[in-house]
Amino acid sequence: MDLASQKTSSPTAGDLSSPALSLKTRIIGYDLARAVALLGMLLVNFSVLPGTFGAEPNWLDYVIEMIKGRAAATFVVLAGVGLSLLSKNVYLSKDRAAINVKRLTLFKRSLFLLVIGLFNFALSPISDILHFYAIYIAIGACLLTVSNRSLAALALATITARPLIMIDFDFFQNCGFNTVAYAGIGNLLGIVGHFLFNGCFPVIPWMAFVMVGMWIGRRDLSDHYLRKKILLIGIGAVALSESVSRVFIHVSSWAQLDLKGLLPWFETAAGDPTPLFMLSAIGTALVVICCIMILADRYGNTSWTSPFISAGQTTLSLYVAHIIFGTLFLKAIETFDMVLFFFPLWGTIVFYTGGLVFSYYWARRFRRGPLELLMRSFLVFRGPAEIPSQDITKKKDVPILAG
């Protein structure tokens, strides 16, 4: 079901009572999913802060390893969803002028996120995703009117291009998911390589997550049949990718085969975005989003979900705050020469709980978070020129990162 069919089809018995209510529930579901993805990213990022990695017990290391990359992938898929929801009207109308206005707004948003992301990276290079996120948004802005079939083809090409390139080049010599050293990015070629190939969230192949999100955003997940179908696809993708990877690794180890050239195709570790990892992470994102949509249907208007919805609408502020909090906290205790056992766990609990409380009470007075408000001011700023009477950026939009 694409956007064009959504426009003309009438709700089925399983749908919500009205299209407006359906859209509202979808947005609440996406906010909740964003809050859940943020929780996973906090746990992973607190585990790779300088001085904390390797200090956790084995069971916590295992949990973090399972979440690593998947939470961020869900976050990026939700970015693609936001792009489609923001551009739904221009996608349907094919109005070139409106498309250009929307793209300009997204380019400005991308620039803002790039500046914030580089600040995070300079403060503490703990696998910051925002400066990559900015590139995703800019590329996504160019794909607003691309058909679903073309999106699928581009996503597949992006995923398969990675291991083909890796056969001849070692893009991981300057980066690892568990390191904070980024050597060799002081020149233009190194910067390009960082963004495209050997950063922790490189455009190739991570841009595929955005394309998948754009595909999801063009569908009505309030349709129970469609939601169940996507959920089953997600479960199948995770099961297939993880099973194939484990069987390959087990067989190669048992037979003592030297299959180094094939490893880029069969690993599922987050630090190496192979096709199987991408499939597993896409499946995880689909499962998380569909399950959260089910919860939104049942509990979207209950009081206990309000803090999570508010957090999902304030993820930019909370994401930047957790980097500042983690970095300053660790610097403060360095003088005591302490080993932070369980810090990823209790640090995440403390910060996330504080973030929920802050977001809830902030949302009672403001529609957007602190950095979201700053980004909104940047988006609507037009300099000394007179602002036209009809300004598309004044309309309420759907958060991409949240803003």
Side-chain angles (χ1 to χ4, degrees):
M1 179 188 300
D2 58 20
L3 284 175
S5 63
Q6 289 179 34
K7 184 176 180 181
T8 57
S9 61
S10 59
T12 63
D15 291 333
L16 298 178
S17 59
S18 69
L21 183 58
S22 174
L23 179 59
K24 179 181 179 181
T25 303
R26 289 168 62 198
I27 294 174
I28 289 175
Y30 291 135
D31 286 336
L32 288 173
R34 197 178 293 108
V36 171
L38 176 65
L39 176 61
M41 293 177 69
L42 292 178
L43 183 61
V44 172
N45 283 354
F46 280 150
S47 74
V48 298
L49 280 168
T52 63
F53 186 81
E56 299 83 38
N58 291 336
W59 66 267
L60 185 55
D61 277 339
Y62 178 78
V63 171
I64 292 172
E65 192 64 31
M66 292 298 294
I67 298 174
K68 189 177 293 182
R70 277 73 176 176
T74 303
F75 209 65
V76 176
V77 169
L78 288 166
V81 171
L83 284 171
S84 283
L85 294 180
L86 279 170
S87 61
K88 176 180 178 180
N89 291 335
V90 298
Y91 177 82
L92 291 173
S93 67
K94 307 300 181 182
D95 185 336
R96 185 169 298 276
I99 291 171
N100 291 335
V101 171
K102 185 64 67 176
R103 281 177 174 156
L104 178 60
T105 301
L106 291 172
F107 288 147
K108 293 171 67 175
R109 188 185 296 250
S110 173
L111 177 60
F112 182 90
L113 292 175
L114 180 62
V115 172
I116 299 297
L118 291 177
F119 167 78
N120 288 343
F121 187 78
L123 180 65
S124 179
I126 58 167
S127 305
D128 171 73
I129 196 173
L130 284 184
H131 61 295
F132 294 100
Y133 204 99
I135 306 301
Y136 304 154
I137 299 303
I139 297 175
C142 300
L143 302 177
L144 293 183
T145 58
V146 171
S147 67
N148 292 328
R149 183 174 298 180
S150 296
L151 279 178
L154 287 172
L156 182 61
T158 303
I159 292 172
T160 55
R162 173 75 177 199
L164 292 175
I165 297 173
M166 286 172 58
I167 292 176
D168 295 320
F169 298 96
D170 181 11
F171 288 110
F172 290 95
Q173 59 183 335
N174 297 326
C175 174
F177 225 97
N178 301 333
T179 66
V180 294
Y182 288 83
I185 64 172
N187 55 70
L188 180 59
L189 183 61
I191 293 173
V192 172
H194 171 73
F195 279 103
L196 292 183
F197 302 113
N198 69 337
C200 287
F201 309 98
V203 171
I204 300 176
W206 274 68
M207 190 62 205
F209 293 130
V210 178
M211 299 175 194
V212 171
M214 293 177 69
W215 181 87
I216 295 174
R218 293 176 180 179
R219 279 149 179 79
D220 182 7
L221 290 192
S222 65
D223 183 328
H224 293 247
Y225 173 78
L226 176 63
R227 189 168 58 201
K228 183 182 296 185
K229 183 177 179 181
I230 294 177
L231 175 62
L232 292 176
I233 290 174
I235 294 173
V238 174
L240 175 64
S241 57
E242 296 295 336
S243 298
V244 170
S245 175
R246 280 162 174 73
V247 168
F248 173 81
I249 293 174
H250 177 75
V251 170
S252 62
S253 175
W254 173 75
Q256 297 182 346
L257 300 176
D258 184 12
L259 301 176
K260 183 178 179 181
L262 294 177
L263 286 180
W265 293 89
F266 290 95
E267 287 282 359
T268 58
D272 190 356
T274 65
L276 285 182
F277 163 77
M278 297 294 294
L279 181 61
S280 176
I282 289 172
T284 302
L286 295 180
V287 171
V288 169
I289 292 172
C290 289
C291 289
I292 295 298
M293 284 294 176
I294 295 173
L295 289 176
D297 272 352
R298 297 182 180 180
Y299 308 107
N301 294 320
T302 57
S303 58
W304 70 267
T305 60
S306 296
F308 295 95
I309 294 172
S310 299
Q313 296 170 345
T314 321
T315 46
L316 176 58
S317 298
L318 294 179
Y319 183 85
V320 173
H322 99 276
I323 291 181
I324 297 175
F325 164 79
T327 303
L328 294 181
F329 176 77
L330 289 177
K331 289 184 179 296
I333 66 170
E334 276 182 355
T335 54
F336 297 97
D337 194 25
M338 296 175 60
V339 178
L340 297 179
F341 283 101
F342 293 94
F343 172 73
L345 184 60
W346 62 259
T348 297
I349 293 174
V350 169
F351 182 87
Y352 194 72
T353 302
L356 291 177
V357 174
F358 168 80
S359 300
Y360 176 73
Y361 285 102
W362 180 274
R364 296 178 68 175
R365 297 198 59 179
F366 303 96
R367 289 177 56 190
R368 298 178 176 88
L371 280 179
E372 286 80 1
L373 285 173
L374 181 60
M375 180 165 66
R376 172 59 46 176
S377 299
F378 176 74
L379 293 179
V380 301
F381 177 73
R382 295 177 180 270
E386 181 180 356
I387 300 178
S389 58
Q390 293 183 347
D391 182 7
I392 193 172
T393 59
K394 288 183 179 180
K395 297 180 181 179
K396 182 179 179 181
D397 62 9
V398 179
I400 294 182
L401 186 58

